[in-house]
Amino acid sequence: MLDMKFIRENVELVKKSAVDKHISCDVDRLIEVDQKRRDLQQQLDGFRTQVREDGQRVGLLRNPKSDWYKRAVAEGKSEADIQAEATEVQAELTKIKPKVKQLEDEVGPILEEFEQLMLTIPQPADDGAPVGKDDTENIEVKKVGEIPTFDFEPKDHVQLATDLGILDIERGVKLAGSRNYVLKGLGCLLHQAVLRMSQDMMVQRGFTPMTVPVLVREQVMAGTGYFPAGRDQAYLCERDELSLVGTAEVPLTAYYADEVLRESDLPIKLCAMSTCFRREAGAAGKDTYGLYRIHLFDKVEQVIIAPNDIEQSKKYHDEILQNSEDVLQALGLPYRVVNVCTGDLGMGQAMKYDIETWMPSRESYGETHSASRFYEFQARRLKLRYRDGAKKIHFCHTLNNTVVASPRILIPLLELYQNKDGSVTVPEVLRPYMNGCEWIGPA
RNA sequence: GGAGAGGUGGGUGAGUGGCUGAAACCAACGGUUUGCUAAACCGUCGUGCUGGGUAACCCCGGCACCGGGGGUUCGAAUCCCCCCCUCUCCGCCA
């Protein structure tokens, strides 16, 4: 969410940035509703002032112990006069009541519309983000690692893992429909090893590991920017008014919502391993093969809650990017980093780096990580604030990045570590997490 | 699921119809005192929206907010209704 004052003063900029992001929103209507809201509020405030002041007078005139009453008596007014005055004032206020009620009825829907509209205005992209229409216009920032060549015909991860008996897509679909799977045996252990290794790295780097709810309230989804626009992407448990999160970013970022932190508490660095649920609505027919686009996966996520300072935000953005790069380097996977263009940025993101890991079967880099910086966008929605040394309150800045998401990361991992005989070598860093297992062979 | 208690400012907690946006205490911040620490004393100390003046940091007003939403009343933290949440006991399950 943006500051309404900022929107009022930068209408054209806000409009343009929405166009650049390919997000439709009605800024003109917002300006209109805002004006109306302020006009009505002022009228209403005027009436309320009168009701308060005159109402108090009634009370004082009716109270023989009050100064007002004594003063009136001193001025020679009779008991009857005083009571008559009170009754008169009261009668006037009774006449005002319907006017107040009418204004209140008018302002209610306006306020509601105002709030709804505010939620649809995207965060303008940072100058550092390239302007572009979609992911084809993202700009490569760097490439790390060699793309290996095989001296045999490599298998894709589905073939490979199915042959090894560590992946069962058919029965996953039987249990839960398309885009589901079952990892078994060493496949399950490999999946968990990647997650555990990554989490340990984050803990070593000072991130507090958390176990968080993955079924959260509406406000938490809206606060992080996933609702209302992304509603169709979430699994809703409507009976309980809760939604399954698509990422632990949601509960982590909202953890301190509605609170005022101390500046000395910042930055707050959190990470969480959680299951992620995604409907993938509108993705029908896209990436239907294998473990790339699935409804349920596990992910270690990192979140930084930072002070309201653009330079620091940029610094932390680099930091969370580096953390994830280090995970890929530890795993020995070749990847590249792209600066995501405006057309591919989400609602609240000012800037985003995606990390794409080389996936032989796709003959391309595939997105495995997404490092976003939001400035105040999420914090405003969440009322996530801190008090500085001068006791002034500011909204925090928030950032997040994938540490590792599995099984998607198993696609490059399995494919790149496969051997001619159909076995897979376990990367060294993962072996301690797999009881020393060095090698996955046919069952 | 049943019974009871309760939700008030950063915290504890008073307040049952009227100068109460809210006592007191604690924490925090500023100051005095001080060889250091500590203590004592004085002062400041909610948030949001909004109007106006100098408009960067500032100053003066208005309104809203005492879990949420409705209602009664000239006037509601205080009375009534609905909902949510927390705690305790019982039951049930692990």
Side-chain angles (χ1 to χ4, degrees):
Chain A
M1 190 153 63
L2 305 182
D3 183 358
M4 187 59 219
K5 280 189 206 110
F6 175 86
I7 298 175
R8 282 202 288 265
E9 288 160 15
N10 298 277
V11 176
E12 291 314 312
L13 184 152
V14 171
K15 278 186 191 173
K16 182 176 184 306
S17 60
V19 170
D20 285 346
K21 275 195 168 183
H22 293 202
I23 289 172
S24 65
C25 58
D26 195 340
V27 181
D28 290 330
R29 177 63 186 160
L30 176 64
I31 296 288
E32 207 178 301
V33 169
D34 174 54
Q35 187 58 50
K36 193 148 193 202
R37 146 193 166 256
R38 287 189 292 158
D39 289 346
L40 288 172
Q41 195 61 53
Q42 250 170 284
Q43 290 180 49
L44 196 51
D45 285 358
F47 279 123
R48 282 178 176 160
T49 308
Q50 190 185 345
V51 167
R52 174 179 60 84
E53 288 176 350
D54 290 352
Q56 273 172 3
R57 220 165 100 211
V58 173
L60 292 167
L61 288 170
R62 293 248 164 91
N63 180 1
K65 285 180 197 157
S66 78
D67 292 344
W68 267 73
Y69 186 93
K70 288 176 188 161
R71 206 180 309 140
V73 171
E75 284 167 8
K77 290 186 184 159
S78 71
E79 161 81 30
D81 287 343
I82 295 170
Q83 288 316 312
E85 188 182 342
T87 306
E88 192 186 322
V89 174
Q90 192 174 322
E92 254 170 63
L93 288 173
T94 307
K95 272 186 246 164
I96 290 179
K97 271 182 111 174
K99 288 190 204 164
V100 173
K101 179 86 181 121
Q102 191 200 326
L103 275 173
E104 279 172 348
D105 289 347
E106 215 174 319
V107 97
I110 290 285
L111 230 47
E112 205 169 303
E113 188 180 359
F114 175 73
E115 273 151 29
Q116 284 308 309
L117 284 167
M118 282 296 273
L119 291 180
T120 66
I121 309 292
Q123 164 74 36
D126 192 82
D127 289 341
V131 176
K133 62 171 171 28
D134 56 35
D135 59 358
T136 60
E137 296 187 18
N138 293 345
I139 291 178
E140 184 176 295
V141 177
K142 63 169 152 181
K143 242 181 214 170
V144 177
E146 290 298 308
I147 293 173
T149 50
F150 295 90
D151 55 8
F152 57 91
E153 190 58 41
K155 295 179 181 177
D156 68 59
H157 68 282
V158 177
Q159 192 63 56
L160 186 62
T162 304
D163 290 350
L164 286 170
I166 60 175
L167 170 67
D168 187 344
I169 288 185
E170 248 180 70
R171 292 195 181 84
V173 171
K174 175 178 80 177
L175 291 171
S178 68
R179 299 194 192 281
N180 279 285
Y181 58 92
V182 172
L183 292 167
K184 55 198 281 200
L186 289 171
C188 168
L189 295 183
L190 184 67
H191 165 77
Q192 291 177 1
V194 169
L195 295 163
R196 281 296 320 277
M197 187 276 288
S198 308
Q199 180 177 265
D200 280 2
M201 250 172 96
M202 296 311 293
V203 173
Q204 272 163 25
R205 293 174 184 214
F207 283 69
T208 305
M210 315 265 280
T211 296
V212 287
V214 292
L215 194 52
V216 302
R217 295 179 194 279
E218 187 88 6
Q219 274 197 330
V220 173
M221 293 300 278
T224 41
Y226 286 95
F227 282 5
R231 215 184 165 77
D232 57 341
Q233 292 300 334
Y235 288 102
L236 307 176
C237 302
E238 279 153 316
R239 184 168 59 175
D240 300 294
E241 294 180 321
L242 295 169
S243 308
L244 285 165
V245 299
T247 161
E249 164 201 339
V250 172
L252 284 182
T253 309
Y255 184 62
Y256 291 106
D258 298 313
E259 297 186 33
V260 179
L261 305 166
R262 283 174 305 197
E263 188 169 28
S264 56
D265 295 331
L266 304 178
I268 292 170
K269 299 181 179 183
L270 308 171
C271 67
M273 186 192 299
S274 88
T275 302
C276 306
F277 304 86
R278 301 197 180 178
R279 285 190 71 230
E280 299 297 352
K286 202 170 149 194
D287 308 314
T288 49
Y289 189 71
L291 296 175
Y292 192 79
R293 193 175 293 279
I294 47 194
H295 287 309
L296 178 148
F297 58 94
D298 290 288
K299 175 158 68 72
V300 177
E301 179 77 3
Q302 51 180 327
V303 164
I304 294 187
I305 298 170
N308 194 309
D309 179 285
I310 289 178
E311 288 315 308
Q312 284 196 60
S313 265
K314 289 179 179 171
K315 187 187 84 185
Y316 291 127
H317 202 180
D318 291 341
E319 181 181 326
I320 59 175
L321 179 63
Q322 189 61 53
N323 288 338
S324 302
E325 286 190 54
D326 290 346
V327 167
L328 290 176
Q329 286 177 27
L331 291 171
L333 300 175
Y335 63 90
R336 65 173 193 158
V337 176
V338 299
N339 184 353
V340 173
C341 75
T342 53
D344 200 23
L345 281 177
M347 185 80 191
Q349 296 154 351
M351 201 167 156
K352 173 161 78 169
Y353 293 111
D354 277 357
I355 302 179
E356 302 175 343
T357 307
W358 181 255
M359 300 185 182
S361 61
R362 295 169 71 93
E363 294 181 329
S364 70
Y365 289 96
E367 181 189 327
T368 50
H369 298 69
S370 204
S372 313
R373 120 171 151 242
F374 292 85
Y375 294 142
E376 306 176 348
F377 185 85
Q378 292 182 315
R380 274 187 182 276
R381 291 181 170 223
L382 290 166
K383 295 189 180 61
L384 167 56
R385 297 168 295 174
Y386 70 93
R387 205 182 295 276
D388 69 17
K391 303 184 86 176
K392 220 182 150 188
I393 287 182
H394 307 272
F395 287 103
C396 300
H397 278 190
T398 60
L399 305 103
N400 66 67
N401 189 12
T402 316
V403 179
V404 84
S406 181
R408 187 180 277 191
I409 199 68
L410 299 187
I411 297 173
L413 197 65
L414 291 168
E415 292 180 355
L416 289 162
Y417 279 88
Q418 66 179 300
N419 304 308
K420 190 170 183 178
D421 64 0
S423 67
V424 170
T425 304
V426 175
E428 263 181 60
V429 283
L430 296 181
R431 291 175 192 172
Y433 295 94
M434 293 183 69
N435 308 315
C437 174
E438 296 176 9
W439 179 81
I440 302 175

